[in-house]
Amino acid sequence: MAVDLAGQVRDFLSPRLAPGARLGLGYSGGLDSSVLLHLLAGLRQDLGYSLSAVHVHHGLSVNADAWAEHCRRACGRLGIPLTVCRVEVVAEASGLEAAARAARYRAYADQAVDYIVLAHHLDDQAETLLFRLLRGAGVHGLAAMAGQRDHEGGAILRPLLSVSRAALHAHARAQAIEYIDDESNADLALTRNWLRHEVMPQLEQRFPACRKVLARSAGQLAESAGLLDDLAAADLAAAADAAGLRLDVLAGLGPARARNLLRSWLRRETATLPSRAWLEEALA
């Protein structure tokens, strides 16, 4: 049975957008963003938003120029303005993949739009949860990707998080949507690709619904993270003042609650998330 992707995207966007909202699609030219490009183009008149696209040219592939040209042609056919942002990706301790992702989000923040729309889908959500779990992430990390979150320059929207990669493939075939295939997606040296091509298929043999289950778990963890944030906000109201944190209030809390308070305060003050070991040392 075909999935009504246009209906799902409409239902996601309609309660979030004011008339005249400016949407900018993060458009790589791959399957996911190509399907979303066509869906958003078809909903413009119905939902009353303006639509543009931004393609981030990382320069990491010999095909990067050809991909940018593909995106220009695709947007031209649909009457969608496209910005191509050339970025320099410098690998740091977190790795090349993380550096490229950081460069993309910096480019998104520079766009004159109200919302950046990204094409992450259900399979991405499941893989992100598993990836972060194996890296020892806490509740906030395991909440994976939010359907909507604030970002410098405007909010980020992800209307396809409940849609599987298989459904996107089926839609692209049915609508004859052309897209590019980044050769790096087959590189098993990248952990996300290894999880996608090696681990997830084996999990699916034993647990056929594992992708949906993992994505649903991410949603449940997001609720838990929200409750922890609410608790931290209440504790901060009692513990924070102009000089910082009142140690007498911090000392009066249990260890888990004190870590939660300190983590939230540091995230607010420094925009970083310290490790559990660091928090325990700081509290000691």
Side-chain angles (χ1 to χ4, degrees), residues 5-23 36 38-51 114-115 117 157 159:
L5 295 188
Q8 291 196 29
V9 173
R10 181 190 297 108
D11 291 346
F12 177 92
L13 292 177
S14 57
R16 292 174 166 84
L17 302 183
R22 300 169 300 166
L23 272 59
L36 187 53
H38 284 75
L39 292 170
L40 292 175
L43 291 169
R44 281 177 292 185
Q45 185 173 356
D46 186 13
L47 295 183
Y49 55 76
S50 64
L51 178 63
D114 301 309
Y115 300 94
V117 189
L157 300 176

Side-chain angles (χ1 to χ4, degrees), residues 105-123:
Y105 280 87
R106 287 194 296 270
Y108 297 154
D110 290 336
Q111 304 308 302
V113 296
D114 301 309
Y115 300 94
I116 287 290
V117 189
L118 301 179
H120 296 117
H121 49 73
L122 182 143
D123 297 58

Side-chain angles (χ1 to χ4, degrees), residues 259 262 275-284:
R259 283 194 300 271
L262 185 56
S275 67
R276 182 187 175 100
W278 191 96
L279 287 172
E280 290 180 346
E281 179 67 20
L283 288 170

